[in-house]
Amino acid sequence: FFQKTLNAVKTWFTLFGWSKGQNPISIPYSLRCDVCIVQLTVAQEKNFKRKLDKDKGFYEMLLRLNGQPLPGIAASQSLPPDPVERMFQLHWQHSELLSFLKSQGAFLSHVMPEFLLAPEDYKIWTEVNTGIRVRSMRSSGKLSGKPIFILEDSTFETMSKRAWTDVLLQIYKVFVLPRVSSRIVPDPSSLESLQNMPGIKSEPLCSNIYSRYERTILIWLNKNYEKYRKIVWKDSQRGGIPVMRWIVNFDQDLLDGLVLAAQIAAYCPYLIPTHFIKMYTDPRTHEQFLHNCLIVVKALHAVNLEIDIKV
C-alpha cells in the first residue's frame, strides 16, 4: 500500500509539480540531492550555493504550488562549508518547512526534521545531539531535551522515504486540493433521489479525517453516482442497475470501479456502450472486481487520462 502511494505521489509531482514541464523525481533521493551536491563541493569551495537547475528545486516547486516563497528561506541560499554548521542550518530549514506546512493545515506532527536530512547529515545530527545529552547529564545528573532516535542506515532510509512522502502528500492537500470549488450547484433532476441519502457536510470542523475540499469531492462522487448509475447500467446484462450507496471514503467505496465509472460516464457518455456496460454491477469475487477496474483503466486510456496507469 505504501509503495503504491509513493508511486502515485512521485508520478503527480513529476508531471505537475514544476512550472517548466516535467521534472522526474525519486523519493527521498532527488529531494535531498542539493545536500549531496553540496557535500561533493565542500573540499573545493569555501563559500558555495546549492547547484540546482533553475525552476527544478524543491522550494521552486513549493513556490509554484503555494504562490509565495517559504518565509525566511531563499530558493538559492548559501550553506556553510563546515559540516556541523551545514547540518544545523538544514535542520533549521526543515523545521521551518514543517512549521509552515502545519500552519497551513498539514498533519505532520509525526515527521521530525532530522528525518528529512541526508544520511550523512543525520549521522552528524545524532553524534552532536548525543554529545549534548551526555554533557547535560554529567553537569545536572539528568537527561534533558527531547529523546533522540538513533536509527540504522537502512531503517533511516525507510523512515526518510516515509517522511518525504508524507510531506509531499500534505503539500498536495494544503496547496492543490483547495483549488476544488466548494460551491455545489444543486442538480434538480437528482435532488429527489438524494433525499433519502445521508448528507456529507462541507463545513471545516465537521470531520477530523477529511478536509472540506476532500468532502467536496465526496459530495460530487455521491451526486454523480446516484444520478448516472441508472443511466449507465440501465441495459446491463451483468446484474442490472447497481444499488444506491453512500460514498464516504476514497478507498473501500471505490474498489469495485462502479463509482469511478459513473464519474467518467458523466463527462464521456460515449464510453457507456463500449466500456461500462460490460461491468459487473454487483461484483462479489476478486475476479469481478479486477474485471471492473480493468474496464475503468481502459476507459481512461481511451480518453488519454491514464497518466501512469497500466493495465
Side-chain angles (χ1 to χ4, degrees):
F1 172 80
F2 288 121
Q3 186 61 44
K4 290 180 180 179
T5 301
L6 184 146
N7 290 338
V9 171
K10 182 169 62 175
T11 298
W12 192 91
F13 279 91
T14 290
L15 295 176
F16 308 115
W18 281 263
S19 59
K20 298 298 180 65
Q22 298 183 17
N23 180 35
I25 67 170
S26 60
I27 303 173
Y29 310 108
S30 67
L31 301 176
R32 305 180 315 208
C33 69
D34 52 343
V35 178
C36 297
I37 293 173
V38 165
Q39 290 166 347
L40 291 176
T41 60
V42 168
Q44 304 169 8
E45 300 177 16
K46 293 183 178 180
N47 296 310
F48 50 84
K49 292 186 177 181
R50 293 183 299 163
K51 297 183 176 180
L52 295 173
D53 258 351
K54 186 178 181 181
D55 299 318
K56 295 297 185 181
F58 175 81
Y59 289 101
E60 284 78 4
M61 178 268 291
L62 198 62
L63 171 62
R64 174 181 179 269
L65 297 180
N66 179 33
Q68 56 185 353
L70 190 67
I73 298 179
S76 181
Q77 62 175 332
S78 296
L79 292 173
D82 180 74
V84 176
E85 292 181 6
R86 185 183 71 248
M87 177 275 295
F88 276 124
Q89 179 166 331
L90 289 170
H91 190 276
W92 168 83
Q93 177 178 303
H94 295 325
S95 299
E96 291 296 303
L97 169 66
L98 295 174
S99 297
F100 173 70
L101 293 176
K102 286 187 278 189
S103 72
Q104 302 299 308
F107 296 152
L108 289 168
S109 59
H110 62 292
V111 176
M112 299 181 180
E114 53 267 26
F115 295 148
L116 302 179
L117 295 170
E120 295 80 4
D121 289 312
Y122 174 73
K123 290 179 181 178
I124 298 174
W125 181 87
T126 57
E127 292 171 359
V128 169
N129 282 273
T130 301
I132 292 175
R133 284 171 64 84
V134 169
R135 289 192 297 271
S136 173
M137 185 175 68
R138 287 175 179 174
S139 61
S140 64
K142 60 180 180 179
L143 291 175
S144 61
K146 296 181 180 179
I148 298 174
F149 295 94
I150 302 178
L151 306 176
E152 298 292 335
D153 291 348
S154 60
T155 304
F156 171 76
E157 284 295 346
T158 300
M159 186 67 74
S160 183
K161 182 182 294 186
R162 176 67 185 273
W164 276 108
T165 301
D166 288 346
V167 165
L168 291 178
L169 282 170
Q170 293 300 309
I171 287 175
Y172 182 88
K173 189 187 81 170
V174 299
F175 296 139
V176 180
L177 274 184
R179 300 174 189 172
V180 176
S181 173
S182 59
R183 183 170 59 91
I184 301 298
V185 180
D187 183 354
S189 65
S190 64
L191 287 179
E192 183 178 353
S193 61
L194 289 173
Q195 286 180 351
N196 296 325
M197 179 182 294
I200 295 176
K201 297 180 180 180
S202 59
E203 285 77 8
L205 300 179
C206 70
S207 172
N208 63 349
I209 299 176
Y210 293 130
S211 67
R212 59 180 298 185
Y213 311 106
E214 290 168 311
R215 294 195 299 277
T216 298
I217 295 175
L218 287 174
I219 294 172
W220 171 70
L221 290 174
N222 276 285
K223 287 183 175 293
N224 272 347
Y225 176 75
E226 180 54 30
K227 177 179 179 180
Y228 287 95
R229 68 184 177 91
K230 301 175 183 177
I231 298 174
V232 177
W233 294 287
K234 64 179 181 179
D235 299 320
S236 172
Q237 302 298 316
R238 296 189 174 184
I241 296 175
V243 299
M244 175 187 287
R245 68 170 70 176
W246 190 28
I247 304 156
V248 296
N249 57 61
F250 295 101
D251 44 17
Q252 294 295 322
D253 291 340
L254 305 184
L255 282 178
D256 61 10
L258 295 174
V259 175
L260 293 175
Q263 312 311 309
I264 300 171
Y267 302 94
C268 306
Y270 54 85
L271 293 174
I272 296 175
T274 59
H275 292 75
F276 303 136
I277 197 67
K278 304 172 185 177
M279 298 176 70
Y280 291 97
T281 57
D282 185 25
R284 298 179 181 275
T285 66
H286 292 297
E287 290 76 14
Q288 292 175 343
F289 274 69
L290 177 61
H291 171 87
N292 282 1
C293 292
L294 289 175
I295 288 178
V296 171
V297 171
K298 290 179 180 178
L300 291 174
H301 276 276
V303 294
N304 296 318
L305 286 177
E306 73 279 5
I307 303 180
D308 196 33
I309 300 175
K310 298 178 175 61
V311 178

